[in-house]
């Protein structure tokens, strides 16, 4: 990445030096890191420390457009690389937009054909590039994607051994859109189909080389080809040189991780050993299943400290429902499950009046609500259309300008109102309390099978409490183009509300409980499942469908409000300092401050999201109960004793473990390379295509990753770029067998994308080079 695109995935040497000077990394951490690196030849601590005094000097391989851009006056204009990225990006934004623009492009011929047609009508690009004769040269454009690929690869004359690297470097000039195209390919791949957009995008970038060659005379073209071939002839040697240069950075990366792991191992050792666990779990009054998100860890810890009668459980926040959700009266179907899975079931809204939990939905009421919502949407669309027609723009501003004063006033003096539920936008207020997401299209047998699988995976197929809370999570913020980054990763960037409510309804269904009993899973008649949501901005808990609960369960929920308030207050004080707030403020004052921040349209950091994430623990709660893990650990409950065939562990290692790795690397990459793998300055974001992503400013590439404000507090990086440490409480043979069966797990583990640990009889062990090694702290 460094050689092909000047991109870094290690922490900067300046940041490492700060950690060393502050004592966060000590000499033992550095020695451990060096001992774990392959010796070729061995690095010394002195050499590592000396390297911190200077930035790494790395080679860089050019592209054809770089060597062609040799005009002495090029400093007075955009470089050709920048101009081409801008033009391709604007074209992609228009092509992929199916929500924002009223006038949609013709897509029948594909992305390459659309770009080719767009470029022939673009009279501004020649000015940006300082090429007044460019329009006359466009006749040389290859007619098809295949022609463009063949033309460039044949004419470049590069050795076949470097083609893959060269083509990757070409795509990295438009990596944001390449990422979007790769995502589209991933999605259709889940359905067994293929997608052409990534190849089209590559052909577009290659075709630009053909155009620019036509703008040069033969001598200039020959010089460019000679320069390009000369440098790429040495590509393997340059890559080896970069690898050697970066070995120091790899050592410091390991040392930084060793520093964190040293503290993590010490804390895990403080938990009660297995022999001290009670043979039977004590009777509990309430069980609360939280998403494994790192922001749940402090709240779970506080709830358990406030009231011993509650048992918290960690489970992936989509709650095992492979669903897509379509709000009532809309075509807006969206996935509510991890991105590596395809939806297999549908959730839609049903209108169920209070007291009708067993009687089902009111079809007539649903029809009324559907029509009412669609009428409102139509009215809003007709009003907003006035702003999109050039002839009406000025009159629209005069007519509507005062109407924006209310929203501006809310931003200038934000209120302390509750979280806005976007899924109910446009729905009249009288219908909202009755509108409930529910699974559809499944017969009773299928519903029972789904319920059985979910309960078994959650460890709730036995010893159920009278009240079981299913707690999803969601953030609260205003004017935030990156709101999805603060919501649930297991729910594909949505809140967990839909999944929690649909599952609670499923598990409260008498017919489903009868079917579960026939399978040996007895849900006591006194047990009631309640859906809730953890607001991660304010650390409040919100309950849903409470009007459908039996009186005893409703009373139990009400009694919990004091527990929720006290536990939430503890977490808010724990988080306050990181947000620049006074942790000594009064209970009500601190909560109100966080609520107002959540509604403040100018607030760039409503919360820190998953910043700091570093560990994924797959183990019984006893392994972490009472430990302060600083909101940095994903916690998934797992008991190997109740997983005889290892199927639950296999599910956890091939789904939640991958998703937590994805999240970890999103934060890691955005911190180490904020300019290329982050999304820049949040204040300059402009939304692209309604939902595709953001531009920083009015152009350039589609930005990926997190904004600087989500990672940096203005003085220091809040996130530490550490590879995820996965700690599993299961037999070694079972873990190894699962890794062997899945290529993606072998890639992650064998190639060092994450650290794999397990609890052993005598302490923690690390998986390395195909064997389990005792941690230095455990061995010593």
């Amino acid at each position: 990445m460094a050689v092909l695109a000047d991109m870094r995935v290690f922490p900067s040497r300046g940041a490492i030096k700060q950690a060393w000077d502050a004592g966060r990394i000590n000499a033992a951490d550095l020695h451990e890191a060096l001992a774990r690196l392959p010796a070729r030849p061995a690095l010394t601590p002195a050499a590592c420390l000396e390297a911190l005094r200077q930035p790494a000097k790395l080679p860089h391989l050019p592209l054809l457009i770089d060597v062609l851009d040799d005009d002495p006056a090029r400093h007075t204009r955009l470089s050709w690389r920048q101009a081409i990225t801008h033009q391709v990006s604007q074209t992609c934004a228009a092509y992929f937009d199916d929500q924002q623009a009223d006038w949609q492009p013709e897509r029948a011929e594909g992305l390459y054909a659309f770009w080719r047609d767009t470029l022939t009508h673009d009279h501004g690009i020649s000015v940006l590039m300082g090429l007044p004769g460019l329009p006359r040269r466009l006749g040389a454009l290859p007619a098809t994607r295949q022609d463009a690929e063949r033309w460039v690869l044949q004419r470049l004359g590069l050795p076949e051994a470097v083609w893959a690297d060269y083509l990757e470097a070409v795509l990295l000039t438009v990596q944001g859109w390449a990422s979007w195209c790769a995502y589209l390919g991933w999605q259709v791949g889940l359905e067994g189909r293929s997608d052409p957009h990534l190849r089209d995008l590559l052909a577009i970038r290659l075709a630009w080389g053909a155009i620019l060659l036509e703008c040069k005379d033969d001598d200039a073209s020959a010089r460019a080809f000679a320069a390009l071939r000369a440098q790429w002839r040495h590509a393997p040697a340059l890559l080896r040189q970069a690898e050697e240069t970066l070995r120091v950075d790899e050592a410091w990366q390991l040392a930084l991780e060793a520093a964190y792991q040293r503290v993590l191992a010490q804390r895990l050792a403080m938990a009660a050993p297995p022999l001290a666990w009670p043979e039977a779990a004590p009777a509990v009054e309430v069980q609360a299943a939280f998403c494994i998100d790192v922001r749940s860890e402090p709240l779970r810890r506080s709830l358990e400290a406030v009231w011993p009668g509650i048992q918290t459980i960690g489970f992936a926040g989509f709650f095992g429902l492979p669903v897509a959700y379509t709000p009532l009266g809309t075509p807006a179907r969206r996935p509510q499950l991890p991105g590596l899975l395809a939806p297999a079931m549908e959730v839609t809204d049903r209108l169920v009046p209070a007291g009708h939990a067993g009687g089902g939905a009111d079809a007539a009421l649903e029809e009324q609500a559907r029509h009412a919502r669609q009428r409102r949407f139509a009215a809003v669309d007709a009003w907003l259309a006035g702003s999109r027609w050039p002839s009406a723009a000025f009159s629209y501003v005069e007519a509507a300008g005062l109407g924006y004063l209310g929203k501006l006033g809310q931003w200038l003096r934000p209120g302390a109102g509750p979280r806005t539920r976007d899924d109910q936008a446009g729905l009249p207020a009288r219908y909202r309390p009755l509108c409930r997401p529910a699974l559809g299209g499944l017969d009773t047998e299928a519903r029972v099978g789904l319920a059985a699988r979910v309960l078994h995976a959650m460890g709730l197929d036995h010893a159920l409490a009278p009240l079981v809370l299913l707690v999803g999570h969601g953030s609260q913020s205003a004017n935030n183009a990156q709101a999805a980054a603060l919501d649930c990763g297991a729910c594909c960037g949505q809140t967990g509300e839909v999944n929690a409510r649909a599952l609670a309804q499923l598990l409260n269904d008498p017919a489903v409980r009868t079917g579960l009993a026939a399978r040996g899973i007895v849900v006591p008649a006194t047990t009631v499942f309640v859906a809730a949501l953890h607001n991660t901005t304010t650390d409040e808990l919100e309950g849903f469908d409470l009007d459908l609960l039996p009186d005893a369960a409703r009373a139990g929920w009400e009694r919990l409000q004091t527990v929720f308030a006290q536990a939430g207050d503890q977490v808010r004080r724990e988080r306050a300092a990181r947000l620049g707030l006074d942790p000594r403020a009064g209970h009500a004052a601190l909560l109100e401050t966080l609520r107002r921040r959540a509604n403040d349209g100018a607030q760039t950091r409503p919360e820190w999201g998953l910043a700091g994430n570093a560990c994924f623990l797959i183990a019984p709660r006893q392994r972490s109960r009472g430990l302060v893990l600083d909101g940095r650990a994903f916690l998934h409950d797992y008991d190997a004793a109740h997983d005889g065939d290892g199927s639950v562990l296999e599910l956890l290692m091939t789904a939640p473990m991958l998703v937590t790795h994805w999240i970890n690397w999103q934060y890691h990459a955005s911190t180490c390379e904020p300019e290329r793998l982050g999304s820049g300055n949040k204040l300059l974001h402009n939304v692209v295509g309604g939902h595709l992503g953001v531009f920083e400013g009015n152009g350039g590439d589609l930005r990926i990753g997190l904004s600087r404000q989500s990672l940096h507090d203005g003085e220091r990086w809040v996130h530490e770029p550490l590879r995820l440490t996965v700690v599993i409480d299961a037999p070694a043979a079972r873990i190894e067998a699962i890794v062997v069966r899945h290529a993606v797990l072998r890639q992650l583990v064998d190639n060092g994308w994450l650290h794999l640990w397990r609890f052993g009889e005598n302490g923690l062990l690390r998986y390395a080079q195909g064997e389990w090694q005792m941690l230095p702290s455990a061995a010593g």
Side-chain angles (χ1 to χ4, degrees):
M1 300 289 276
V3 173
L4 299 183
D6 195 26
M7 295 163 64
R8 314 297 169 89
V9 293
F10 290 124
S12 71
R13 293 185 178 182
I16 291 293
K17 188 174 187 304
Q18 289 179 357
W20 174 265
D21 292 341
R24 290 207 60 260
I25 304 175
N26 62 30
D29 300 324
L30 180 55
H31 279 286
E32 180 185 340
L34 294 176
R36 290 165 57 185
L37 279 177
R40 51 177 206 278
L43 287 169
T44 65
C48 291
L49 289 168
E50 179 62 28
L52 296 184
R53 301 176 185 274
Q54 54 192 356
K57 296 180 180 179
L58 294 163
H60 182 61
L61 286 166
L63 299 175
L64 178 60
I65 57 173
D66 299 321
V67 295
L68 287 172
D69 192 7
D70 59 357
D71 182 358
R74 60 183 179 276
H75 64 280
T76 63
R77 55 167 171 79
L78 286 177
S79 71
W80 285 0
R81 179 187 280 249
Q82 291 172 314
I84 291 169
T85 296
H86 182 85
Q87 190 275 331
V88 173
S89 184
Q90 294 289 328
T91 302
C92 288
Y95 179 85
F96 289 112
D97 174 18
D98 61 358
Q99 290 191 1
Q100 209 162 349
D102 282 342
W103 294 352
Q104 295 295 318
E106 175 56 54
R107 303 183 179 94
E109 300 299 320
L111 176 60
Y112 180 86
F114 175 74
W115 165 80
R116 191 174 185 274
D117 180 65
T118 300
L119 186 59
T120 58
H121 296 89
D122 186 345
H123 303 295
I125 188 66
S126 59
V127 177
L128 287 176
M129 301 183 72
L131 290 173
L134 178 63
R136 298 191 302 273
R137 307 293 184 177
L138 296 181
L141 271 173
T144 67
R145 177 190 80 194
Q146 293 82 357
D147 290 341
E149 291 174 349
R150 283 193 293 267
W151 185 93
V152 175
L153 290 178
Q154 290 172 2
R155 194 167 180 187
L156 282 176
L158 294 175
E160 189 172 341
V162 304
W163 282 4
D165 286 335
Y166 186 86
L167 296 180
E168 182 177 356
V170 167
L171 278 177
L172 287 172
T173 64
V174 283
Q175 62 172 341
W177 287 109
S179 300
W180 173 254
C181 293
Y183 163 75
L184 295 178
W186 172 278
Q187 290 295 302
V188 301
L190 294 175
E191 302 170 5
R193 298 184 289 116
S194 61
D195 184 271
H197 288 110
L198 189 60
R199 287 289 293 272
D200 279 356
L201 182 64
L202 176 60
I204 288 168
R205 276 294 290 103
L206 291 172
W208 259 112
I211 300 169
L212 296 179
L213 280 170
E214 294 299 318
C215 296
K216 293 283 187 175
D217 58 37
D218 291 342
D219 288 342
S221 296
R223 288 195 303 270
F225 278 130
L228 186 73
R229 290 166 184 162
Q231 296 199 52
W232 277 88
R233 189 179 304 118
H234 301 295
L238 293 177
L239 289 168
R240 288 193 298 272
Q241 175 189 335
E243 186 176 0
E244 287 303 309
T245 301
L246 290 169
R247 284 185 65 227
V248 170
D249 301 271
E250 185 178 359
W252 281 114
Q253 173 78 65
L254 268 172
L256 185 64
E257 290 159 352
Y260 167 75
Q261 291 171 342
R262 169 168 42 84
V263 176
L264 174 66
Q266 291 168 354
R267 292 185 181 178
L268 292 177
M270 293 169 59
L275 293 178
W277 297 352
E279 293 185 5
V284 295
E285 299 180 49
V286 175
Q287 290 164 320
F290 281 82
C291 180
I292 63 175
D293 186 280
V294 297
R295 291 165 290 182
S296 300
E297 182 267 321
L299 185 56
R300 291 179 61 187
R301 173 169 27 95
S302 295
L303 285 169
E304 293 165 347
V306 169
W307 186 40
I310 189 168
Q311 174 194 358
T312 71
I313 299 163
F315 191 72
F318 75 116
F319 293 109
L321 299 186
V323 300
Y325 167 59
T326 304
L328 179 73
T330 78
R333 181 179 183 267
R334 70 170 191 242
Q336 289 273 159
L337 76 171
L340 54 83
L341 304 173
M345 303 172 187
E346 301 295 326
V347 168
T348 54
D349 287 329
R350 309 301 306 274
L351 260 66
V352 181
H356 285 218
D362 187 321
L365 203 60
E366 273 183 26
E367 194 64 18
Q368 294 173 19
R370 182 179 294 107
H371 287 305
R373 187 178 215 178
Q374 290 171 348
R375 286 195 299 270
R376 285 195 174 188
F377 281 153
V380 170
D381 188 62
W383 171 249
L384 292 178
S387 69
R388 298 192 291 261
W389 291 95
S391 62
F394 292 105
S395 60
Y396 176 85
V397 171
E398 291 180 359
L402 291 177
Y404 284 94
L405 288 179
K407 178 172 287 189
L408 182 60
Q410 292 173 8
W411 285 4
L412 292 175
R413 298 192 63 182
R419 181 181 64 92
T420 300
R421 293 166 64 183
D422 294 334
D423 293 340
Q424 295 190 341
L427 193 64
R430 64 183 180 277
Y431 299 117
R432 293 181 182 183
L434 313 180
C435 189
R436 315 178 199 269
L439 278 164
L442 298 178
D443 59 25
T444 301
E445 186 63 24
R447 291 166 65 84
V448 170
L450 175 61
R453 290 193 298 274
V454 171
L455 287 174
H456 177 61
M458 295 175 71
L460 289 175
D461 49 358
H462 61 285
L464 285 161
L467 199 63
V468 182
L469 309 183
L470 304 173
V471 190
H473 67 91
S475 186
Q476 181 180 351
S477 59
N479 188 31
N480 185 5
Q482 289 193 323
L486 298 177
D487 281 335
C488 182
C491 297
C492 213
Q494 315 294 335
T495 76
E497 174 185 340
V498 167
N499 299 65
R501 295 178 73 181
L503 181 59
Q505 184 187 108
L506 175 72
L507 296 176
N508 285 330
D509 184 346
V512 170
R513 293 192 176 193
T514 300
L516 288 171
R519 297 186 178 209
I521 302 175
V522 178
V523 179
T526 54
T527 293
V528 177
F529 292 85
V530 180
L533 191 84
H534 171 204
N535 184 327
T536 54
T537 308
T538 65
D539 282 303
E540 296 176 277
L541 285 173
E542 176 184 1
F544 301 108
D545 305 318
L546 303 178
D547 55 333
L548 301 182
L549 299 180
D551 292 342
R554 181 65 183 268
W557 172 266
E558 293 300 330
R559 287 194 299 272
L560 285 171
Q561 298 313 298
T562 303
V563 176
F564 293 160
Q566 188 174 344
D569 184 68
Q570 289 184 10
V571 179
R572 287 188 283 274
R573 294 185 188 286
E574 192 175 311
R575 295 173 52 224
R578 295 180 74 203
L579 294 170
L581 305 177
D582 183 3
R584 299 166 298 178
H587 306 306
L590 182 56
L591 176 57
E592 182 176 355
T593 298
L594 287 169
R595 286 175 174 173
R596 291 188 184 281
R597 285 171 54 89
N599 292 316
D600 187 350
Q603 180 56 251
T604 55
R605 301 179 183 93
E607 60 156 296
W608 283 113
L610 295 97
N613 74 85
C615 168
F616 182 24
L617 186 61
I618 303 175
R621 178 56 171 158
Q622 289 92 332
R623 289 289 193 186
S624 58
R625 189 179 178 100
L627 302 182
V628 177
L629 298 175
D630 302 319
R632 305 185 70 180
F634 301 94
L635 300 178
H636 202 302
D637 278 57
Y638 171 72
D639 189 345
H642 292 101
D643 183 30
D645 61 357
S647 59
V648 173
L649 181 61
E650 186 160 20
L651 180 64
L652 299 184
M653 291 180 65
T654 55
M657 191 171 106
L658 294 188
V659 174
T660 54
H661 162 71
W662 287 358
I663 294 170
N664 174 263
W665 264 92
Q666 180 188 39
Y667 276 82
H668 184 117
S670 298
T671 303
C672 291
E673 184 55 83
E675 299 305 318
R676 303 294 306 279
L677 298 174
S679 59
N681 187 346
K682 195 174 187 178
L683 301 180
L684 303 179
H685 282 178
N686 283 301
V687 174
V688 180
H691 72 286
L692 303 183
V694 296
F695 283 157
E696 187 182 13
N698 69 341
D701 196 11
L702 185 72
R703 297 307 298 265
I704 61 177
L706 298 157
S707 69
R708 185 179 180 86
Q709 287 88 343
S710 293
L711 304 162
H712 196 280
D713 67 3
E715 296 181 357
R716 66 181 184 88
W717 292 104
V718 171
H719 180 74
E720 271 191 327
L722 308 176
R723 285 172 290 185
L724 192 68
T725 300
V726 180
V727 191
I728 303 176
D729 190 3
R734 181 175 297 179
I735 297 172
E736 293 172 27
I738 293 171
V739 171
V740 168
R741 281 198 295 273
H742 297 276
V744 66
L745 296 184
R746 293 198 304 274
Q747 291 164 2
L748 291 179
V749 174
D750 294 344
N751 296 326
W753 291 99
L754 51 75
H755 301 279
L756 182 60
W757 290 8
R758 63 175 288 267
F759 289 97
E761 294 182 1
N762 300 313
L764 290 163
L765 299 99
R766 175 196 299 122
Y767 189 72
Q769 286 84 49
E771 61 181 23
W772 295 97
Q773 304 170 353
M774 188 70 71
L775 295 185
S777 57

